[in-house]
Amino acid sequence: MSHDRPPKRFNPAVPNEARMYDYAMGGKDNYRADRDAAERIGAALPSALAGVRENRQFMRRAVRHLLSVGVRQFLDLGCGMPGRGNVHDLVAAAEPSATVVYVDNEPMVVNHFQALLSSSSVATALLADIRRPGDILSSPEVGKLIDFRRPVGIVLTAVLHYFEDEDDPAGLVKEFVSGAAPGSHVVLTHYHPEGIPPEDRAVTAEFAASLNVTMAQRSRVEIEALFGDLVLVEPGLVPPPRWRPDRPLRDSTGWLLAGVARKP
């Protein structure tokens, strides 16, 4: 597993995937370079921006499910920019004492969350690389709010497809889960190249290369394997709109697969 990656540096002239995601979700924490890149992608791949919204809607339903089964602490890894319906907003509505730690390796993301949560005693944000689970799990900020002797919800939405195989994403999930109590859950979405036309896969690869990001071409079997020994809850690994829909079912864009799995 490679850890030799320089920390990200803030540069508003270079498109950033977190800020592009923010723009796609209607946020304001982005710059012209991010907007231009997102609009180029949207023009070439119109369904990709709808896939961003599918991802966010799934995350909200998944978090509500975890709350319904008694999970009261959450670790949101690779959280991205704050927006409407953040994890801490969802959990506060159900249980004000529930705790949340956001983790991202983008300083601007963490700064925005820290400002948003400056008066909170139950939520915080940590600047860290999730390729180093030990650093995160041993962090005082995490230890203050997350008790791994009780179930924890580990959120990894639209994150692991940015990791090369050499980063061992399945191993990372396993390490985060290994010390967690039974009843802990992993919430995960991943780019699904088999779900979109070949021409869209080719354009996606071109955009990823131009933005200097990975867009891992994993099969359904490989995505499911990221859960390791965890047990997928119903309905299993499915397109996001088909995971316990709370509104009339819409056709999936095909861009993502989504699932929630429980530690026995």
Side-chain angles (χ1 to χ4, degrees), residues 1-6 129-133 167 172 175:
M1 187 185 307
S2 173
H3 294 314
D4 299 326
R5 295 173 183 255
D129 190 337
I130 62 177
R131 294 176 181 87
R132 295 178 175 268
D167 292 313
L172 294 173
E175 192 166 350

Side-chain angles (χ1 to χ4, degrees), residues 153-219:
I154 300 170
V155 181
L156 282 158
T157 51
V159 175
L160 295 182
H161 48 238
Y162 293 123
F163 288 14
E164 302 278 6
D165 288 344
E166 69 182 35
D167 292 313
D168 187 16
L172 294 173
V173 175
K174 183 176 181 179
E175 192 166 350
F176 278 111
V177 171
S178 63
S184 295
H185 290 68
V186 169
V187 175
L188 186 151
T189 60
H190 195 289
Y191 169 52
H192 183 218
E194 297 169 351
I196 58 175
E199 56 270 25
D200 287 354
R201 291 200 296 271
V203 174
T204 300
E206 291 174 5
F207 273 117
S210 70
L211 295 169
N212 195 31
V213 298
T214 296
M215 207 67 176
Q217 305 278 319
R218 296 191 175 98
S219 68

Side-chain angles (χ1 to χ4, degrees), residues 214-230:
T214 296
M215 207 67 176
Q217 305 278 319
R218 296 191 175 98
S219 68
R220 179 189 184 88
V221 171
E222 290 171 320
I223 295 168
E224 186 166 343
L226 296 173
F227 289 103
D229 295 331
L230 303 180

Side-chain angles (χ1 to χ4, degrees), residues 101-195:
V101 177
Y102 295 101
V103 180
D104 207 285
N105 70 338
E106 170 63 58
M108 183 178 177
V109 167
V110 174
N111 289 341
H112 274 73
F113 265 113
Q114 287 176 340
L116 183 65
L117 301 170
S118 60
S119 61
S120 174
S121 61
V122 293
T124 191
L126 174 68
L127 180 64
D129 190 337
I130 62 177
R131 294 176 181 87
R132 295 178 175 268
D135 292 351
I136 295 169
L137 297 174
S138 64
S139 164
E141 291 95 328
V142 173
K144 180 179 178 181
L145 295 180
I146 305 292
D147 178 0
F148 287 95
R149 296 171 297 180
R150 297 187 293 114
V152 57
I154 300 170
V155 181
L156 282 158
T157 51
V159 175
L160 295 182
H161 48 238
Y162 293 123
F163 288 14
E164 302 278 6
D165 288 344
E166 69 182 35
D167 292 313
D168 187 16
L172 294 173
V173 175
K174 183 176 181 179
E175 192 166 350
F176 278 111
V177 171
S178 63
S184 295
H185 290 68
V186 169
V187 175
L188 186 151
T189 60
H190 195 289
Y191 169 52
H192 183 218
E194 297 169 351

